[in-house]
Amino acid sequence: HDAWALRAGRFIQPRDPNGLALDFQIFNHYGDQLELEHAHTLAGQPGKLRALVFRNVAPMSRFSDAIALGAATSSAPNLNLVRGGDRVKYGLGLNLEQALSDDLGFFARASWADGKTETYAFTEVDRSLSAGFLLQGTRWGRAEDTLGIAWVGNQISKGRRTYLEDGGISFFIGDGALNARAENVIETFYNYQLFKALSVGLDYQHIRNPAYNGDRGPINVGSVRLHLEF
């Protein structure tokens, strides 16, 4: 309606945490999302602001249950031993996209999840803040090319942190201890169009405190991406 849009959806999820097989019991296990969008013009340039809330229902383990069982048995907490029964995960997100000129754009995103249950699909993060710029190559005669740079800061919830500090291991992180720190990523890329249907992207990431551990990293990651459209 005019500059506003409202979207809602219910989605199926993996049958098991981070699994590939899907659970088609959409009335028992599901992910609900509600998004409100507003388009605007700022200083003559278009932009959009979106707010999203979500609620997932699935057989997820709670960090508090795993921690309590570990303490009672004098062992490291284990999510696999307390999985059972449907749990609820909820959270929200904000997204801003804003053109600053005909060839320069800015984005910023913030998200929050309650962080009481294990990761279900897929990234282990409970708080995230990111921002960046995209510049088209018009200024150097490469209008179809794109140069991008961004910063991302990720954190985990108190429950997830305690679980890892006590020696727990989750899907992607955990090595028996945790010197908890926020994970910070700086990323830059250049997307070069070779032909109308083919482009190649060169990407570099510098990651500090990978997996939220101050005793790890920093690490540097380079990658090459090919994109073909037909």
Side-chain angles (χ1 to χ4, degrees), residues 1 3-4 15 34 38 64 81 85 101 119 130 168 175 209 211:
H1 179 72
W4 295 91
R15 185 178 302 163
L34 180 67
H38 181 258
S64 59
L81 300 180
S101 67
T119 295
S130 62
D175 56 6
N209 309 322

Side-chain angles (χ1 to χ4, degrees), residues 2-227:
D2 295 332
W4 295 91
L6 180 65
R7 304 178 183 92
R10 170 163 287 189
F11 305 88
I12 59 176
Q13 301 183 124
R15 185 178 302 163
D16 301 304
N18 275 322
L20 294 178
L22 296 176
D23 185 347
F24 291 94
Q25 300 181 65
I26 197 168
F27 297 105
N28 296 319
H29 307 137
Y30 51 83
D32 285 339
Q33 296 188 28
L34 180 67
E35 181 185 70
L36 179 65
E37 175 188 288
H38 181 258
H40 62 266
T41 300
L42 183 63
Q45 296 293 335
K48 288 185 178 181
L49 180 64
R50 300 183 182 95
L52 176 133
V53 293
F54 71 86
R55 179 176 182 267
N56 294 353
V57 178
M60 298 176 281
S61 299
R62 284 191 294 239
F63 291 116
S64 59
D65 293 340
I67 294 168
L69 179 61
T73 57
S74 299
S75 60
N78 189 332
L79 292 170
N80 295 316
L81 300 180
V82 295
R83 188 174 295 115
D86 292 341
R87 315 295 187 199
V88 175
K89 180 191 293 289
Y90 59 89
L92 53 88
L94 293 173
N95 181 81
L96 170 66
E97 298 174 4
Q98 180 63 50
L100 303 178
S101 67
D102 291 340
D103 59 356
L104 180 63
F106 170 78
F107 76 88
R109 300 182 183 125
S111 61
W112 175 93
D114 65 331
K116 296 179 180 179
T117 53
E118 64 182 324
T119 295
Y120 210 76
F122 287 96
T123 303
E124 301 204 55
V125 56
D126 300 306
R127 323 276 188 262
S128 184
L129 182 65
S130 62
F133 295 89
L134 290 174
L135 178 65
Q136 298 301 121
T138 309
R139 305 185 188 196
W140 54 91
R142 298 284 308 175
E144 301 302 320
D145 292 1
T146 305
L147 173 65
I149 186 169
W151 168 85
V152 183
N154 297 323
Q155 294 186 356
I156 53 179
S157 66
K158 181 179 179 181
R160 190 189 300 269
R161 184 175 68 245
T162 302
Y163 173 80
L164 295 170
E165 288 174 342
D166 289 353
I169 295 176
S170 51
F171 292 100
F172 302 113
I173 56 179
D175 56 6
L178 180 69
N179 179 16
R181 295 288 187 276
E183 180 183 75
N184 290 279
V185 183
I186 295 177
E187 180 175 9
T188 185
F189 76 91
Y190 188 88
N191 194 56
Y192 184 89
Q193 187 176 56
L194 296 171
F195 308 103
K196 185 176 181 180
L198 179 64
S199 63
V200 57
L202 302 177
D203 183 277
Y204 167 75
Q205 296 181 58
H206 178 76
I207 307 172
R208 297 185 61 84
N209 309 322
Y212 314 101
N213 197 335
D215 295 333
R216 301 288 178 260
I219 61 175
N220 298 291
V221 180
S223 60
V224 178
R225 299 176 181 136
L226 292 175
H227 182 82

